[in-house]
Amino acid sequence: MAKYEDNYDEKYDDELDYEGGEQQPDLDKKLKGYRIIIIALVAVLGLLTFQHFRVTSQIREDFRIERDTLNNQINGLITEIDQINLRNDSVSNELRLNIATERHKADSLMSRLKKERNMNREKLRAYEKELGTLRTIMKRYLGQIDSLNNLNKKLVAENVGYRKKVADEKSRADIAEERAAELSNKIKLGAIVKARNVQIAAYNTGGTNVTRASRASQFKTDLTLTANELTLAGTRNVYVRIKGPDGAVLSGGADCYFEFEGDMISYSAQREIDYDGQDLDVSIYFKYDSLTPGVYSAEIYMDGYQIGSAEVSLR
């Protein structure tokens, strides 16, 4: 019995040694396989983590670029709005108010974009849509302003043309007026009755021509009024102004004055004649005592013009 048990124990131990020897290599293989799988999983996880980080970084960079682009576009829109206001000081109050409202909206959009911390595609699209709406509205306002500018330019051009036309018409009217005045002046000058053959001589009390001042008591002025068809026929006054050697006018009296070039001047003698446009001989006498030797001159006036003159020398 004891021998049997000993044999049994030996056999059992041999079986255990055999089974243990067989199982140990399999367990090592399994552990090695698990290690490989774990390493592979860690590598894959690391790769996925890297890929996720890279994709996330790229997405963030794309968002940053799009955000900066959107920010620049909003800045550009604000600049355009400011330039519109600067170029068009004469736009209507209503349009100016509308532009100011859109400027406020653009500022608000810029402020919200700067404060945005969790940017995503949906929010970007919303900002872009809002910016697009502002651009559309400003484009419409800009079209209105351009239309007003074009209309204003047209009105200015028409006004310039009208002023030029008025200036041309005024220039032509001035030229016509000058020509009319010139013609009128020519006619007026042409209508002046001139005196020819003007002579002045001294006479004594007996009517004899003398050359000594001591013997003279009166002057006789002879002249011929020339024919002139441009002058209206009618009664005229012919004035004679006789000046002595000292240049003073020998006055015919306190009331002997007539108008000449806006002033009242004295005369020596005058005669009323009836002029009919034909040659007319006229003689005018002037008495004056106490003559002194020297040169005496006679100036003839009619119709407001000096029409002749003559001189005589007395010893």
Side-chain angles (χ1 to χ4, degrees):
M1 183 67 179
K3 185 177 181 181
Y4 173 80
E5 289 178 354
D6 290 338
N7 292 335
Y8 177 81
D9 291 337
E10 291 177 358
K11 183 178 180 180
Y12 180 75
D13 289 338
D14 292 338
E15 288 179 0
L16 287 177
D17 291 339
Y18 174 78
E19 289 179 2
E22 289 294 332
Q23 289 179 353
Q24 186 65 35
D26 292 339
L27 181 59
D28 291 340
K29 289 181 180 180
K30 288 180 180 182
L31 290 175
K32 185 177 181 180
Y34 289 149
R35 289 192 189 97
I36 293 173
I37 292 173
I38 290 172
I39 293 172
L41 290 175
V42 170
V44 171
L45 180 60
L47 179 62
L48 291 176
T49 302
F50 173 76
Q51 286 292 103
H52 175 72
F53 176 77
R54 189 176 66 175
V55 171
T56 302
S57 297
Q58 184 64 43
I59 292 174
R60 289 178 180 175
E61 179 65 17
D62 292 343
F63 281 158
R64 187 191 65 78
I65 294 173
E66 292 190 31
R67 182 174 183 165
D68 290 344
T69 301
L70 186 60
N71 184 75
N72 292 335
Q73 291 176 348
I74 296 174
N75 268 327
L77 178 61
I78 291 174
T79 301
E80 290 177 7
I81 294 175
D82 291 340
Q83 288 177 346
I84 291 173
N85 284 328
L86 290 174
R87 290 198 311 264
N88 299 275
D89 293 333
S90 60
V91 297
S92 66
N93 291 333
E94 181 181 0
L95 187 55
R96 188 184 299 278
L97 180 60
N98 291 337
I99 292 174
T101 300
E102 299 309 314
R103 174 66 159 79
H104 178 71
K105 291 180 180 179
D107 288 338
S108 176
L109 183 62
M110 172 71 75
S111 178
R112 285 187 281 119
L113 181 61
K114 288 181 178 180
K115 293 178 181 179
E116 188 66 62
R117 292 293 177 265
N118 298 317
M119 183 61 70
N120 56 44
R121 186 69 60 184
E122 183 178 355
K123 289 182 179 180
L124 273 174
R125 297 290 83 83
Y127 280 115
E128 290 174 351
K129 183 178 180 181
E130 190 171 349
L131 176 61
T133 301
L134 288 176
R135 283 192 176 280
T136 301
I137 294 173
M138 288 311 304
K139 185 177 181 181
R140 183 171 70 249
Y141 288 155
L142 186 60
Q144 294 178 13
I145 292 173
D146 287 341
S147 297
L148 290 174
N149 285 340
N150 292 333
L151 178 60
N152 186 52
K153 289 179 181 178
K154 182 179 179 181
L155 292 175
V156 169
E158 290 178 355
N159 188 38
V160 170
Y162 174 75
R163 288 188 176 184
K164 185 177 183 301
K165 185 176 180 181
V166 170
D168 291 342
E169 292 296 334
K170 186 177 183 303
S171 178
R172 283 195 288 267
D174 290 341
I175 292 174
E177 185 177 352
E178 289 176 1
R179 289 179 178 175
E182 184 180 353
L183 179 60
S184 176
N185 189 50
K186 287 181 178 179
I187 293 174
K188 189 175 181 180
L189 292 175
I192 297 175
V193 178
K194 296 182 180 179
R196 71 173 189 271
N197 300 328
V198 180
Q199 296 179 353
I200 181 174
Y203 291 84
N204 61 19
T205 55
T208 303
N209 179 238
V210 296
T211 58
R212 290 182 179 272
S214 59
R215 297 179 181 179
S217 61
Q218 62 178 340
F219 287 103
K220 178 185 178 186
T221 304
D222 294 316
L223 59 109
T224 299
L225 296 175
T226 59
N228 194 327
E229 296 180 354
L230 298 177
T231 302
L232 295 176
T235 302
R236 301 281 201 284
N237 286 324
V238 180
Y239 300 94
V240 177
R241 301 184 79 209
I242 299 175
K243 295 181 180 180
D246 59 357
V249 177
L250 307 181
S251 177
D255 298 329
C256 294
Y257 287 91
F258 71 99
E259 185 177 354
F260 177 71
E261 295 184 351
D263 295 324
M264 299 301 293
I265 60 175
S266 63
Y267 63 85
S268 304
Q270 69 91 19
R271 180 178 175 182
E272 185 178 282
I273 54 96
D274 186 14
Y275 182 75
D276 61 359
Q278 303 300 318
D279 283 353
L280 179 64
D281 294 329
V282 179
S283 296
I284 301 174
Y285 294 88
F286 172 63
K287 293 183 178 181
Y288 199 87
D289 296 331
S290 303
L291 297 176
T292 59
V295 177
Y296 289 81
S297 64
E299 297 176 350
I300 313 302
Y301 294 84
M302 190 178 78
D303 294 339
Y305 296 96
Q306 182 179 345
I307 61 174
S309 64
E311 291 181 349
V312 62
S313 180
L314 299 180
R315 293 180 293 162

